[in-house]
Amino acid sequence: MEVVITKNREAASVIAADIIEAVVLTTPHAVLGVATGSTPVETYRELGRRVHAGRLSLAATSAFMLDEYVGLAAHHAQAYRRVIDEIFVRLVDIDPSRVHGPDGMAADLDLACTAYEDAICAAGGVDVQLLGVGTDGHIGFNEPSSSLASRTRIKTLTARTRQDNARFFGGDLDAVPTHCLTQGVGTILEAKSVVLLATGQEKSEAVRQMVEGPISARWPATALQLHPAVTVVLDEPAASRLDHIDYYRDTYANRLLRSPRAR
Ligand code: F6R
């Protein structure tokens, strides 16, 4: 796991965009794994700026979302498919028909989950997965106690996640769905490379557990310790509870190999 500590959220977002750009430049048909939420918004803007500057094209890529709420119609402003259109797709040159998410409105949700796993597999798997982390340590919507081998499935959101996300629903906790479909931890671990972005003090405990804690379903993000090519990009507040902060800074400043496999 490579840990990169940046001076602020903007700098962290640029590094995440750099990593995604590097994958697309070597693999124009890359399969991108995209997250919703607040954290990746600036990274998507940065990618959009690069596309508009003519330095990058996502035209040949495809994308798979991590998760979707159950029961929010596609036109709902907080349906993740609509959110990803708003924060990512409309800013870049990706073909919207090649952006996929689990169907949280399906009559048969289990079948929708299996179909989603099959679609990721048929696309050849995710080349680079962008992740955020929840304050309770979730990745995707794999809440604490999720199996670290889990696949795409229905999950019940924790009270904490629903409270955290109430800000997107005008502060109305009752409006936040109780269930979602999410790629499993096992699904996420199959991405060829992962960049996890975390900013803000409220993420510092989840970050500490993810990077330095024991691997445990209590903090599902700790499963990323098992992945051979993860870069964790942080701002100072998110990194503030790490024990080995000087080592991470030193390692990054003096890195010899830039391949993600060297982490
Ligand atoms: C979103 C997702 C979640 C978020 C996490 C952090 O698709 O899968 O894991 O990344 O809840 O959300 P923000 O970025 O809003 O703090």
Side-chain angles (χ1 to χ4, degrees):
M1 191 178 266
E2 179 177 47
V3 180
V4 184
I5 301 161
T6 61
K7 60 181 188 308
N8 56 34
R9 183 190 170 101
E10 289 69 35
S13 302
V14 166
I15 289 183
D18 287 347
I19 293 170
I20 295 167
E21 179 181 63
V23 171
V24 175
L25 291 180
T26 54
T27 313
H29 289 86
V31 178
L32 310 177
V34 289
T36 49
S38 309
T39 310
V41 167
E42 189 49 39
T43 297
Y44 296 141
R45 283 196 192 127
E46 179 63 22
L47 290 172
R49 284 190 280 271
R50 294 178 190 192
V51 167
H52 286 281
R55 126 177 192 186
L56 172 70
S57 175
L58 304 186
T61 66
S62 56
F64 284 86
M65 296 164 54
L66 281 167
D67 38 24
E68 181 58 274
Y69 289 118
V70 168
L72 289 193
H75 57 79
H76 191 289
Q78 291 309 320
Y80 273 0
R81 177 54 219 238
R82 186 157 160 205
V83 171
I84 208 73
D85 282 346
E86 186 64 25
I87 65 175
F88 173 60
V89 177
R90 76 179 175 86
L91 305 183
V92 295
D93 57 348
I94 194 169
D95 177 349
S97 71
R98 288 214 292 262
V99 179
H100 311 281
D103 182 1
M105 290 294 284
D108 186 334
L109 292 170
D110 284 332
L111 202 61
C113 293
T114 310
Y116 198 58
E117 286 277 333
D118 291 348
I120 296 172
C121 196
V126 170
D127 289 294
V128 57
Q129 175 67 56
L130 180 59
L131 292 178
V133 64
T135 55
D136 64 3
H138 68 233
I139 49 173
F141 272 139
N142 294 283
E143 299 284 32
S145 81
S146 289
S147 161
L148 302 186
S150 50
R151 314 300 308 185
T152 303
R153 69 211 184 291
I154 307 167
K155 285 296 288 182
T156 305
L157 296 170
T158 61
R160 182 161 180 189
T161 296
R162 293 184 65 240
Q163 266 153 19
D164 285 348
N165 287 4
R167 70 190 193 280
F168 296 117
F169 292 80
D172 179 4
L173 186 58
D174 291 338
V176 184
T178 52
H179 293 80
C180 65
L181 304 186
T182 181
Q183 287 189 33
V185 179
T187 318
I188 293 168
L189 290 179
E190 283 175 6
K192 294 175 191 82
S193 62
V194 175
V195 50
L196 185 142
L197 191 57
T199 58
Q201 185 69 33
E202 68 278 13
K203 300 292 174 70
S204 60
E205 180 59 18
V207 165
R208 185 170 82 90
Q209 295 291 340
M210 169 176 69
V211 176
E212 296 177 341
I215 295 173
S216 161
R218 167 64 188 86
W219 297 93
T222 59
L224 294 173
Q225 294 173 23
L226 294 167
H227 193 289
V230 176
T231 303
V232 174
V233 189
L234 307 170
D235 66 357
E236 301 271 355
S240 60
R241 303 191 68 176
L242 292 170
D243 283 341
H244 297 288
I245 198 158
D246 293 341
Y247 176 68
Y248 307 133
R249 286 188 202 285
D250 195 46
T251 304
Y252 188 65
N254 297 298
R255 66 198 186 284
L256 297 177
L257 296 172
R258 281 154 201 271
S259 157
R261 299 287 157 198
R263 290 163 193 148

